Amino acid sequence: MGLTIDLAALAANWTALARQAPGARPGAVVKADAYGLGAAQVAPALYEAGARDFFVALASEGRALRPHLGADARIFVLSGHMEGQGLDGLIPVLNSPEQFFRDRTLRPRGDFAIQLDSGMNRLGFEPAEWAAIRSEALSAPSPQGTGPALVMSHLMCADEPDHPANAAQLRAFRQMTDGIAAPRSLAATGGILLGPEYHFDLTRPGIGLYGGEPFAGARPVVTLALDVIQTRSVAAGEAVGYGCTWTAPRPSRIATVAAGYADGLLRALSGKDVPLWAGERAVPMVGRVSMDLITVDVTDLPEVPQALEILNARQGVDDLAALAGTIGYEILTSLGPRYPRHYLRS
């Protein structure tokens, strides 16, 4: 039982997204331990599929990942050059003049990338800052000669194709970067799906690799099967779980299952009749989600299995997220360390 990650499906999703942008070099976002699925296993599978550019959030993530990838793999650190962090074998994505000057002082010939703020107001050089430093940045010494290994920005509404912010950010990015020799990157998963004008030289697929929206063509990557600890008979009118929020409307059979909000099953799922699966049959979760346990009404099953699935090909991370009022990213990255992880490689 536990969390099963289909690495073959993940690699197939990477290949499919790469084909959506045939003129760009396809990278892979593996931050947050590959969205909770295990970067030490996920990144090598993507490397075998052909990925050579990997993106993490923190230098510590990059240092942990470096031994698992070939020497030709590039690992970009999206938080940039933070004070006191080791960057050997990594490429910081510099986000401000302060980071640029720190990096050039401490790593005068080290590889670096630049992030520009094209309108998200989160990370990156603002247009005026970039205008002031652009010439110096593009001529700075680096292992490839001069200039950054990559100049990138990030879209804030790429999962909404008709949102006017997409075109506005594209214009801003072009205004800041047209004419430069360095490779450019704007598109993550949603940006890839917006079309060729967003692709530039390198793409950064993330959530689509892991089976999430907005990549509707993604193959399912994750199956989560939860152990049944105990079953019990409950009389009509008896309550189940904290707060007496669910009362059996009939004589019922209740399974207590080994997972809770400490394992990423958000408490917001309480009272939502979340389906769990016994083969082809769905049965509802009842009562509140507690720290380590949930309860499931298995009355209509002829036989209670040893485990029930809550994530599978029928109910993906976005389906579960919709029931919780959140997004698939949060479901994936919340899956806790207590699940044994099993990796399918073919």
Side-chain angles (χ1 to χ4, degrees):
M1 314 311 170
L3 185 62
T4 299
I5 297 106
D6 188 339
L7 295 177
L10 182 136
N13 291 339
W14 180 85
T15 300
L17 285 165
R19 288 173 178 159
Q20 296 261 0
R25 178 177 166 120
V29 180
V30 292
K31 61 183 180 178
D33 198 26
Y35 290 42
L37 300 186
Q41 290 78 27
V42 165
L46 293 170
Y47 181 88
E48 289 178 14
R52 292 296 182 270
D53 299 296
F54 297 86
F55 293 83
V56 297
L58 304 173
S60 58
E61 293 179 320
R63 290 193 299 270
L65 184 58
R66 181 74 269 176
H68 298 283
L69 296 174
D72 59 338
R74 302 191 298 178
I75 302 174
F76 293 87
V77 179
L78 294 169
S79 60
H81 189 153
M82 302 291 287
E83 193 169 358
Q85 293 192 345
L87 291 165
D88 288 349
L90 309 177
I91 303 175
V93 182
L94 308 178
N95 291 295
S96 66
E98 178 187 15
Q99 284 201 349
F100 176 77
F101 290 116
R102 175 188 300 136
D103 191 70
R104 294 300 82 194
T105 299
L106 298 177
R107 305 169 61 251
R109 301 197 67 85
D111 229 337
F112 69 98
I114 294 287
Q115 180 158 196
L116 304 177
D117 179 12
S118 57
M120 194 172 189
N121 287 308
R122 193 177 64 170
L123 280 179
F125 288 78
E126 295 184 5
E129 293 174 330
W130 175 238
I133 207 172
R134 171 175 162 150
S135 177
E136 185 172 356
L138 296 177
S139 61
S142 65
Q144 66 267 16
T146 57
L150 187 69
V151 176
M152 60 169 282
S153 190
H154 193 58
L155 296 166
M156 54 184 168
C157 297
D159 57 345
E160 301 177 57
D162 298 325
H163 200 290
N166 294 320
Q169 285 193 265
L170 177 62
R171 285 193 301 272
F173 187 61
R174 286 197 176 280
Q175 288 168 1
M176 287 190 282
T177 62
D178 276 352
I180 71 173
R184 295 182 287 177
S185 178
L186 181 62
T189 299
I192 293 170
L193 302 175
L194 289 177
E197 60 186 334
Y198 290 85
H199 295 165
F200 292 93
D201 302 298
L202 187 147
T203 58
R204 312 185 311 272
I207 189 64
L209 304 179
Y210 307 98
E213 295 177 353
F215 183 31
R219 283 174 51 178
V221 171
V222 172
T223 300
L224 179 56
L226 308 176
D227 288 330
V228 175
I229 301 174
Q230 181 181 1
T231 58
R232 67 178 58 239
S233 296
V234 174
E238 283 194 291
V240 173
Y242 285 120
C244 301
T245 59
W246 186 83
T247 301
R250 58 176 178 169
S252 301
R253 190 76 172 151
I254 301 298
T256 301
V257 175
Y261 56 75
D263 307 292
L265 302 186
L266 306 182
R267 196 167 182 269
L269 292 167
S270 301
K272 301 294 176 63
D273 293 331
V274 174
L276 285 82
W277 297 83
E280 300 292 324
R281 300 189 63 166
V283 288
M285 185 174 77
V286 297
R288 284 185 181 166
V289 178
S290 58
M291 183 182 293
D292 313 297
L293 304 169
I294 58 173
T295 44
V296 182
D297 184 353
V298 294
T299 308
D300 294 329
L301 292 181
E303 184 177 346
V304 180
Q306 290 184 322
L308 296 166
E309 292 180 354
I310 195 167
L311 291 172
N312 54 27
R314 301 174 187 84
Q315 179 165 270
V317 293
D318 294 295
D319 300 310
L320 195 61
L323 290 167
T326 184
I327 56 176
Y329 298 77
E330 185 177 15
I331 296 296
L332 274 177
T333 57
S334 297
L335 297 176
R338 295 195 293 191
Y339 298 124
R341 281 157 167 78
H342 313 285
Y343 294 92
L344 302 180
R345 302 182 186 276
S346 62

